[in-house]
Amino acid sequence: MSQDQDGLYGDDHEGEVEGEGPAISLRVHQNKYLPAAGGRAEMHAVISVEAKGLGPAAARTAASEVIVIDCSGSMGWPPTKIAAARRATATAVGVLRDGTHFAIIEGTEQAQVVYPYPGGMAVAGPDTRAAAARVAARLPAIGGTAIGAWLDLARRLHLSGPAAIRHTLLLTDGRNEHDPAGYLDKVLDACAPHFTCDARGIGDGWDATELKEIVRRLHGRADAVLDDSALAAEFADMARASMAKALAGVRIRVRTRAGGRIGFVKQVHPTRVDLTGEGTRPDARTWECGTGAWGDESREFHLCVLADPEGDPVGEDVELATVDLLLDGDTEPPPPAAQSVLVQWTDDLLLSSRVDPRLAHYGADSDLGLAITAGCDAYEAGDREEARRQWGQAVRLAHGLGSAKMLERLRGLVHIVDAATGEVRIREPIRPLDLNSAMIVTEESVRFTGAALTPAPTGPDVICPNPSCRRTAPATAAYCQKCRTPLRPEEAS
C-alpha cells in the first residue's frame, strides 16, 4: 500500500499479479477523509485498471471483424472520399491475423456483403486477404444511407461464428436517412451485447452527435477524418488494436457494506461513459458491469459511494465498498485481489477538504468536453458571443490539462490569443468539418499523469443549484456531474 502524491490525499490501494507474463492490476485512488460532523456524504474514488503482457494470448483468441463502408452517392464527391475508403478497407484487411473471420459490407439504403461472395464470413489468410483487397478496390458510390441496416447485418455476421472477440469498423460520410424512424436505436440495443464498434466520419455531411451515440452504445471510439489520405493509416491502427485484444471481457463488481449505496460508476479514461445504468444488480448491495474486450491497455473509472457516519468510529478506516475484477473466457492472467474503498471520518477540515488529484483532473477534463459542446450548440443557434466564451473556457482547460489534440481541434474554431487565460477570437467562417471534428472527440479524455493542473478555484464544496438535483461537487467543478447544470456564476451568465 502506498500513499497518493505526498500522502495528503489518503491511500492508494493496489492489487496486481506479480512476476513475468500476462498481468492485470487494480488500484483505488481516493481522499478517504470526510467531515465527521457533515452527516451523509459522497465518497469519490478513481479505479485504475491496467492489463499488460497479453500479446501472446491475443494470437490464440478467436476473433471476427466486419468492415462497414458507406457507399452512398455522396461518397463519390469529391472522389478522394471513395478512393480513400477503398484503400482503407484493403489496408485493414491486410492487418487481420490468420484465422480471423471477416467480411466487408457495402452500405447504401440497404446492406449487403460484398466479400466473401455470396455472403457469410471468410477466414483470413494470404488468399482471402488478397481477394478481399481486389473487391475493396471496386467499392461503388451509389445509393443512400441506412446505418441501422448496416449494423444489423454486422450483428448477424458476428453471431454466425464462435468468435470470443467481435469488432466492427464503420465509415460514413452522411446522416442516417433511410432507416425507418427508431430503427437505429433498436438495432443498437440488439448489437450492444455482441460486438464493439469504432467509427470514422469523412467529409462534412455526417452527424457528430449521431456517430457519438453509436460508439457510446457499442463501446467504441469515433473521430473525424481530417485528411482523406490519412484514412488508411487510421483503419490500420483500429484493426491492429482489435487484433491485439486478448481478454474477451473484464467485468467490474462493486459491493457496498450493509446499508450502503452506489451513487454512480463512470468510465473517465480513455473515453467518458456513464456505466451506472448498464450495470446489473445481483443483489441489493452489488453492482456489476462488463467493460468489453481488453488488450494491453489501461482504463480508469470514477466511483461514487454514499457514506453515512452514523455508528462509525472517528479517526479509523472503515470499508465502504470492495471493488473486484472478473475476467471472462481464458483464465490467464488470473484476476487481481479485490480492493477497498475506505472512509475515515475526521474533525480536521483541512484533511476532508482536499480533492484527490486524479478526481480533480478528470473533473476538469469533463468540464472541457461540456464547454466544447456548449460552444458548438451556441454557435449553431447563432449566439457567437456565447460560443466564443465557451470555447475560450475550453481552450483554458485544454491548456491546463496538456491536451494537444483538443487544442488542435479548437484551433479550427477559434484563433487562440492566450491559451492560459482562454482569450480567443472566433474564426469566420467555420467549416462543418471543423465543428464535427471538435464535437466528435468531446467524450475523449486526457490520461492523468501526475502533472499539476492550471490553478482552479479552491474552497468548500458547492451544491448544484438545480432544485431537483442538489448534488455536492468539489470547488474545482464548473458543471454538475449528474445534471450538467453550471456551478459557477460565470458559467451560468
Side-chain angles (χ1 to χ4, degrees), residues 79-373:
T80 52
K81 284 195 292 186
I82 192 63
R86 292 165 179 159
R87 289 192 301 271
T89 303
T91 301
V93 168
V95 169
L96 302 180
R97 65 174 179 265
D98 287 352
T100 300
H101 287 72
F102 76 101
I104 301 171
I105 291 177
E106 173 190 299
T108 57
E109 67 275 9
Q110 58 187 3
Q112 64 173 334
V113 177
V114 292
Y115 188 84
Y117 181 82
M121 299 279 270
V123 178
D127 293 341
T128 55
R129 283 193 291 264
R134 290 193 293 270
V135 170
R138 300 193 300 271
L139 287 171
I142 54 173
T145 305
I147 299 175
W150 308 349
L151 291 173
D152 189 57
L153 178 54
R155 177 187 63 84
R156 285 181 274 128
L157 290 169
H158 280 302
L159 292 178
S160 68
I165 295 176
R166 303 179 175 117
H167 180 254
T168 295
L169 279 176
L170 169 66
L171 175 71
T172 185
D173 81 327
R175 301 167 185 264
N176 187 47
E177 297 176 335
H178 293 95
D179 279 327
Y183 182 68
L184 176 58
D185 192 58
K186 293 178 181 177
V187 168
L188 293 175
D189 281 341
C191 292
H194 303 298
F195 67 85
T196 59
C197 177
D198 292 313
R200 291 294 181 268
I202 192 169
D204 58 11
W206 50 282
D207 186 337
T209 300
E210 183 175 79
L211 213 58
K212 282 171 60 178
E213 179 64 8
I214 290 170
V215 298
R216 182 190 71 81
R217 300 273 290 278
L218 301 184
H219 305 99
R221 300 175 73 171
D223 207 342
V225 180
L226 301 180
D227 185 335
D228 293 353
S229 65
L231 182 61
E234 292 193 36
F235 261 44
D237 287 345
M238 288 187 286
R240 287 192 189 98
S242 174
M243 293 295 96
K245 300 296 184 185
L247 292 176
V250 176
R251 286 173 288 147
I252 296 177
R253 176 182 290 170
V254 181
R255 184 167 175 80
T256 64
R257 66 174 177 173
R261 187 161 67 88
I262 294 171
F264 60 77
V265 184
K266 301 177 181 180
Q267 180 178 287
V268 291
H269 182 76
T271 56
R272 290 186 298 277
V273 184
D274 191 339
L275 301 175
T276 314
E278 295 187 20
T280 59
R281 300 276 184 168
D283 57 59
R285 294 171 53 193
T286 306
W287 176 94
E288 185 177 308
C289 186
T291 61
W294 282 61
D296 285 356
E297 59 188 291
S298 61
R299 303 183 201 179
E300 298 203 289
F301 305 86
H302 181 179
L303 169 64
C304 170
V305 180
L306 302 184
D308 193 328
E310 185 176 355
D312 287 346
V314 174
E316 297 180 18
D317 285 352
V318 176
E319 186 178 75
L320 289 176
T322 57
V323 182
D324 249 325
L325 296 183
L326 298 91
L327 310 186
D328 297 336
D330 196 331
T331 57
E332 183 186 0
Q339 298 299 301
S340 298
V341 178
L342 304 174
V343 66
Q344 186 174 135
W345 303 102
T346 179
D347 295 321
D348 187 330
L349 294 180
L350 186 61
L351 279 178
S352 62
S353 65
R354 292 191 173 101
V355 179
D356 181 89
R358 266 182 170 77
L359 286 167
H361 173 91
Y362 288 119
D365 195 280
S366 177
D367 289 347
L368 167 59
L370 291 172
I372 293 175
T373 300

